[in-house]
């Protein structure tokens, strides 16, 4: 199964997550920003460490899906 940002990754982030991170320059809803490997790595670091989202860490399957997408080259 080919992963894509639009179909698989964007739905992982709630609208509140997107709004919360925008002032910090993190564009969770923007494929042009998220598909840059360094940016994806920054977000992955936060979700895999349980720092993001702030209300409850992602379950392991979500973190794993994000990692698979990164390993596939962050396809849009």
């Amino acid at each position: 199964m080919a992963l894509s940002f639009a179909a698989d990754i964007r739905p992982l982030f709630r609208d509140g997550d997107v709004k919360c991170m925008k002032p910090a320059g993190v564009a969770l809803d923007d494929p042009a920003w998220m598909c840059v490997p360094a940016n994806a790595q920054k977000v992955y670091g936060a979700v895999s460490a349980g720092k993001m989202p702030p209300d409850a860490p992602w379950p392991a399957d979500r973190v794993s899906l994000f990692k698979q997408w990164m390993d596939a080259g962050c396809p849009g």
Side-chain angles (χ1 to χ4, degrees), residues 3 5 7-8 15-16 20 23-24 29 36 38-39 45 47 49 52 56 59 61 66-67 69-71 73-74:
L3 296 173
F5 176 79
D8 302 293
D15 290 343
C20 178
D29 61 341
V36 172
N39 294 341
V47 297
M52 193 174 99
D61 61 331
F66 195 91
K67 178 81 167 89
W69 172 74
M70 284 180 25
D71 289 348
C74 304

Side-chain angles (χ1 to χ4, degrees), residues 5-32:
F5 176 79
D8 302 293
I9 302 305
R10 173 57 184 97
L12 299 176
F13 299 103
R14 301 165 299 187
D15 290 343
D17 299 333
V18 172
K19 284 181 187 167
C20 178
M21 295 307 293
K22 257 198 203 318
V26 177
L28 298 174
D29 61 341
D30 181 356

Side-chain angles (χ1 to χ4, degrees), residues 44-52 57 63:
Y44 175 73
V47 297
S48 65
K51 294 178 181 172
M52 193 174 99
V63 175

